[in-house]
Amino acid sequence: MELTIYLAGEIHSDWRAKLKEAAQSLPYKLHFTGPMENHSRSDDIGEEILGEQPNAVFKDDAASAFNNLRTQVLLQKSDLVIALFGEQYKQWNTAMDASAALTMNKPLILIRAEKLHHALKELSRKATVTVETPEQALKAVSYIFETE
């Protein structure tokens, strides 16, 4: 069995790379997808496809359309979503991706530090499971593969 896991969350730290590296030692295959991690490309994709936009609002709107397309397709193809809520960056995209996963009835592992409990309590109750670290999320995925 192989799982495709969408990694939702901020793109400014290396949490995805660390999780993927840890997953390489597991005795089963995990395939990871997620948002565009090249921030400039994500911001500029609308103009790359549609051409120069008249102002920053239109540029953001155009980019959002293509980023939403990417997210929708990759979320729909995933078996599971892991959403990391970090402490340093605004987490609007993470909340949106987690909510979209729930709407698509995808299993959701929510990662959030204990100090973010109150801010994320409603989303945490909707998630399939909530953990505090990416390592715990990977252990939860590993449990899926256990036979005894």
Side-chain angles (χ1 to χ4, degrees):
M1 178 171 65
E2 179 178 325
L3 290 180
T4 298
I5 301 173
Y6 186 93
L7 299 175
E10 54 89 4
I11 63 170
H12 303 288
S13 70
D14 63 350
W15 75 273
R16 282 181 185 81
K18 289 179 180 177
L19 191 139
K20 290 174 187 178
E21 183 178 328
Q24 288 178 358
S25 66
L26 299 174
Y28 40 82
K29 181 77 171 140
L30 301 176
H31 174 71
F32 296 99
T33 64
M36 171 55 64
E37 294 182 58
N38 179 326
H39 197 251
S40 296
R41 178 132 171 87
S42 174
D43 285 349
D44 296 338
I45 191 63
E47 287 190 328
E48 287 180 28
I49 294 172
L50 299 175
E52 186 175 347
Q53 298 298 300
N55 60 45
V57 172
F58 282 91
K59 179 181 176 180
D60 283 347
D61 193 48
S64 294
F66 295 104
N67 286 317
N68 285 338
L69 171 68
R70 175 191 170 97
T71 299
Q72 182 177 357
V73 169
L74 294 176
L75 276 174
Q76 285 177 343
K77 291 186 169 289
S78 69
D79 299 304
L80 170 72
V81 176
I82 296 176
L84 173 102
F85 283 86
E87 299 178 45
Q88 185 175 0
Y89 301 99
K90 301 296 182 204
Q91 304 294 312
W92 298 299
N93 287 350
T94 308
M96 185 179 74
D97 289 353
S99 295
L102 291 169
T103 299
M104 294 178 194
N105 207 26
K106 298 289 179 178
L108 173 65
I109 298 174
L110 186 88
I111 305 171
R112 57 107 181 104
E114 184 179 353
K115 68 170 130 180
L116 295 177
H117 164 77
H118 182 75
L120 295 168
K121 65 185 179 294
E122 285 82 9
L123 186 55
S124 183
R125 289 285 288 172
K126 296 273 185 179
T128 310
V129 296
T130 299
V131 298
E132 294 182 2
T133 67
E135 294 78 20
Q136 290 173 334
L138 201 52
K139 286 180 181 179
V141 171
S142 293
Y143 183 67
I144 294 169
F145 290 91
E146 285 187 26
T147 57
E148 300 180 14

